[in-house]
Amino acid sequence: MSANSKPEVLVVGSGAAGLTAALSASEEGARVLLLERSDHVGGTTAVSGGALWIPMNPHMRELGVSDSRDEALGYCMRLTLGRVDPSLLEHFVDTGHQLVAQLEQTTPLRFTPWSIPDYRQEVPGAKLAGRSIEPDLYDRTRLGDWSDRIRPSAHLPIPLKLEESTVTYAKAPETLPRDLIGQRMKAGVCAVGNALVGMLLEACLERGVEVVTSSRARSLELRDGRIVGIRVEGPHAEERFSARAVILASGGFEWSPELVGAFLPGALTHPQSPPFNEGDGLRMAMEVGASLGNMSEAWWYPTGVVPGEVYEGHPLSRPIALERSAPHCIVVNRRGERFVNEAANYNDMAKALLDFDATTFGYRNLPCWSVFDSRFRARSRVLNLDSNRPDPDWLLRGENLAQLAERAGIDPVGLVGTVERFNALVGAGRDTDYGRGESAYDCATGDVRLEEPNLGPLSEPPFYALPIHLGAVGTKGGPRTDEHARVLDVRKRPIPGLYAAGNAAAGIAGPAYFGGGTSIGCAVVMGHSAGRHAASLT
């Protein structure tokens, strides 16, 4: 290793939490070593939309939206259902907007507003836009030898900002500037999660943070009641590193069947994150007596699969979006019943898949399907399938609803009755069963090309059924922390020298998803807190 071979702060994981922690510790004068298990930097952040949900952020004024501490805190408190320490929510609300301003003043990070509504518009304090911000476009060639080391995204490979892909061009896809996209790709410009990771990585490298990939942290070294180092499996041998502080930011445990089975309320079968999130940080924290929290929660997401698609040697899981929220489609269980507002935010909608049926001793809504008609098929993309491509073998099809139901394994009588009722509700102009289309969020995530973006009858054959699986972009459970991101033991005492942030810690959003970018917003704020406090020990 280099002259930085004796770090004062050691960070495990290179997603938003880890990079921000490393950046903040280095800005406070600490020597920092960042370890990444895989051969690419960025973790789950790199394959995400890269947005941050930050109340009172300085970019809200660009959209003419005002915000206040009371509104933001009240909104967060209501959605966390009393399951999060209020001091953590206060810290998040009070710190986040200041951190955004600081990062833009002192680093290459630049943000722009994403005009998406908060996810729960019926809750007092929600905003119609502004709290979600996204990274600006980024020229990855600025990273030099690191330019090709950012983890590629299978879901969002095109250099378009979220505002462009979900608002500007979503309303008029024919105006999509393909030449401009080609120019961006040729010039090495990236967007969304890759852009956020690139900016954070550049800032870390500029401040002397040493980044080492292909190095998996295995165990913490505890001496006289405090953390003094870590054992790491490198590409060629096992190494031990001493440090005054260790920050765990290695992601969740969604790819560990053992941990998923031990803690989550149902079978998380289709993670959408990189397959390196096996709970390394969680296991290390448990070994030294950390108290655990939020272990039954995940950033849930309804998921679809195209047979044969792989990512890092595992089947690729794709998010289900328009396939449940646009007109001319519904989601049903094996009984053929609707059971949820299909257009609700993905985290809350997916929770409905875990409804337990005491009669059958199983999950009432697993399996389930998106069912749609030929008008949906002609207008909308289905997973990776463009509307103008022929029907593939993996997409179930029937010339009528009964035939489709038999092929999918859905109760035909139930499905026909459900579609008849849904069509009647659409004809009356309102979904009185589940309120689909009544929220500003529903409308923003439906087919925004239409005057009615969420509701439309299923009446034009042929009909289709797409299986929906229980997925997640990460888990939310881990060691409990205080507002400095210090890991707490089972008696709520800080374990000296140990910190955790991001999905490697007990999520400070609890069961909630406040709005687009909540996971990364929380990760960045708590990563910053961890880095600053860890540096104070040196």
Side-chain angles (χ1 to χ4, degrees), residues 286-351:
M286 288 194 293
E287 286 176 339
V288 297
S291 174
L292 304 182
N294 217 42
M295 295 302 297
S296 63
E297 294 291 341
W299 304 100
W300 302 107
Y301 216 124
T303 296
V305 174
V306 176
E309 285 191 322
V310 296
Y311 181 78
E312 291 281 357
H314 295 265
L316 175 68
S317 296
R318 289 184 173 273
I320 297 285
L322 280 176
E323 299 93 339
R324 58 186 175 85
S325 64
H328 314 298
C329 76
I330 57 175
V331 173
V332 300
N333 57 24
R334 65 170 68 88
R335 296 176 176 84
E337 303 166 336
R338 290 180 71 209
F339 55 89
V340 71
N341 171 9
E342 296 95 337
N345 73 80
Y346 41 84
N347 182 67
D348 294 345
M349 183 269 172
K351 287 181 180 181

Side-chain angles (χ1 to χ4, degrees), residues 204-285:
C204 285
L205 295 173
E206 284 180 346
R207 284 156 180 77
V209 173
E210 184 165 7
V211 181
V212 179
T213 59
S214 302
S215 297
R216 184 178 186 180
R218 279 299 197 179
S219 63
L220 297 163
E221 185 168 339
L222 187 67
R223 185 185 304 157
D224 298 328
R226 67 167 295 115
I227 302 301
V228 296
I230 196 166
R231 181 176 66 84
V232 177
E233 288 181 357
H236 306 295
E238 181 178 296
E239 296 182 79
R240 178 193 169 278
F241 296 99
S242 297
R244 297 184 184 179
V246 173
I247 302 173
L248 302 175
S250 52
F253 57 87
E254 62 271 16
W255 281 93
S256 168
E258 175 191 1
L259 294 174
V260 166
F263 294 113
L264 293 185
L268 171 54
T269 55
H270 290 71
Q272 294 181 27
S273 60
F276 304 98
N277 296 339
E278 296 182 292
D280 291 353
L282 172 62
R283 294 177 190 273
M284 289 188 285

Side-chain angles (χ1 to χ4, degrees), residues 86-394:
S87 67
L88 293 177
L89 295 175
E90 291 173 1
H91 176 73
F92 171 68
V93 169
D94 292 339
T95 303
H97 62 100
Q98 298 174 353
L99 176 59
V100 169
Q102 175 187 326
L103 289 171
E104 292 191 309
Q105 291 172 1
T106 62
T107 76
L109 278 115
R110 298 293 182 270
F111 297 100
T112 55
W114 179 24
S115 56
I116 186 174
D118 289 344
Y119 285 175
R120 306 298 313 201
Q121 285 295 302
E122 76 281 6
V123 174
K127 295 294 178 179
L128 285 170
R131 285 178 174 157
S132 298
I133 56 176
E134 64 171 316
D136 207 347
L137 296 171
Y138 178 70
D139 179 2
R140 67 169 69 232
T141 64
R142 292 167 60 102
L143 292 170
D145 293 340
W146 286 91
S147 62
D148 61 350
R149 301 291 298 279
I150 301 176
R151 173 164 293 284
S153 172
H155 300 141
L156 299 167
I158 300 175
L160 283 175
K161 298 174 64 175
L162 292 172
E163 184 70 13
E164 293 176 322
S165 62
T166 66
V167 180
T168 306
Y169 302 123
K171 295 178 179 178
E174 67 277 4
T175 65
L176 188 69
R178 300 186 184 278
D179 291 344
L180 177 60
I181 292 172
Q183 293 171 10
R184 289 178 181 178
M185 296 178 72
K186 185 176 181 180
V189 172
C190 58
V192 294
N194 266 216
L196 180 61
V197 168
M199 294 175 189
L200 284 168
L201 179 60
E202 179 181 341
C204 285
L205 295 173
E206 284 180 346
R207 284 156 180 77
V209 173
E210 184 165 7
V211 181
V212 179
T213 59
S214 302
S215 297
R216 184 178 186 180
R218 279 299 197 179
S219 63
L220 297 163
E221 185 168 339
L222 187 67
R223 185 185 304 157
D224 298 328
R226 67 167 295 115
I227 302 301
V228 296
I230 196 166
R231 181 176 66 84
V232 177
E233 288 181 357
H236 306 295
E238 181 178 296
E239 296 182 79
R240 178 193 169 278
F241 296 99
S242 297
R244 297 184 184 179
V246 173
I247 302 173
L248 302 175
S250 52
F253 57 87
E254 62 271 16
W255 281 93
S256 168
E258 175 191 1
L259 294 174
V260 166
F263 294 113
L264 293 185
L268 171 54
T269 55
H270 290 71
Q272 294 181 27
S273 60
F276 304 98
N277 296 339
E278 296 182 292
D280 291 353
L282 172 62
R283 294 177 190 273
M284 289 188 285
M286 288 194 293
E287 286 176 339
V288 297
S291 174
L292 304 182
N294 217 42
M295 295 302 297
S296 63
E297 294 291 341
W299 304 100
W300 302 107
Y301 216 124
T303 296
V305 174
V306 176
E309 285 191 322
V310 296
Y311 181 78
E312 291 281 357
H314 295 265
L316 175 68
S317 296
R318 289 184 173 273
I320 297 285
L322 280 176
E323 299 93 339
R324 58 186 175 85
S325 64
H328 314 298
C329 76
I330 57 175
V331 173
V332 300
N333 57 24
R334 65 170 68 88
R335 296 176 176 84
E337 303 166 336
R338 290 180 71 209
F339 55 89
V340 71
N341 171 9
E342 296 95 337
N345 73 80
Y346 41 84
N347 182 67
D348 294 345
M349 183 269 172
K351 287 181 180 181
L353 275 61
L354 290 169
D355 181 24
F356 189 77
D357 187 338
T359 301
T360 64
F361 201 77
Y363 294 104
R364 183 184 301 273
N365 301 322
L366 283 173
C368 64
W369 297 260
S370 169
V371 174
F372 47 92
D373 71 1
S374 62
R375 279 175 295 185
F376 178 94
R377 176 74 177 89
R379 289 186 59 86
S380 301
R381 187 180 178 92
V382 179
L383 300 181
N384 73 340
L385 181 66
D386 288 332
S387 59
N388 58 359
R389 288 173 54 193
D391 295 339
D393 293 338
W394 53 262

Side-chain angles (χ1 to χ4, degrees), residues 343-500:
N345 73 80
Y346 41 84
N347 182 67
D348 294 345
M349 183 269 172
K351 287 181 180 181
L353 275 61
L354 290 169
D355 181 24
F356 189 77
D357 187 338
T359 301
T360 64
F361 201 77
Y363 294 104
R364 183 184 301 273
N365 301 322
L366 283 173
C368 64
W369 297 260
S370 169
V371 174
F372 47 92
D373 71 1
S374 62
R375 279 175 295 185
F376 178 94
R377 176 74 177 89
R379 289 186 59 86
S380 301
R381 187 180 178 92
V382 179
L383 300 181
N384 73 340
L385 181 66
D386 288 332
S387 59
N388 58 359
R389 288 173 54 193
D391 295 339
D393 293 338
W394 53 262
L395 184 59
L396 297 171
R397 170 176 166 158
E399 294 308 312
N400 55 59
L401 288 169
Q403 184 184 74
L404 177 70
E406 291 175 0
R407 291 177 176 175
I410 303 170
D411 176 59
V413 175
L415 179 60
V416 170
T418 293
V419 171
E420 288 177 351
R421 174 165 178 78
F422 180 74
N423 290 350
L425 295 176
V426 172
R430 186 182 179 194
D431 175 17
T432 55
D433 285 346
Y434 294 101
R436 175 171 162 184
E438 296 182 8
S439 164
Y441 175 81
D442 292 6
C443 296
T445 57
D447 190 339
V448 295
R449 296 170 293 178
L450 302 174
E451 183 177 351
E452 171 46 73
N454 299 115
L455 297 179
L458 281 74
S459 56
E460 297 293 332
F463 299 94
Y464 300 86
L466 174 69
I468 295 178
H469 309 281
L470 182 60
V473 293
T475 52
K476 287 182 167 185
R480 296 183 186 274
T481 62
D482 63 10
E483 68 273 18
H484 302 296
R486 295 181 295 183
V487 172
L488 305 177
D489 68 15
V490 293
R491 300 192 183 279
K492 298 184 179 180
R493 299 171 302 196
I495 299 175
L498 185 60
Y499 300 79

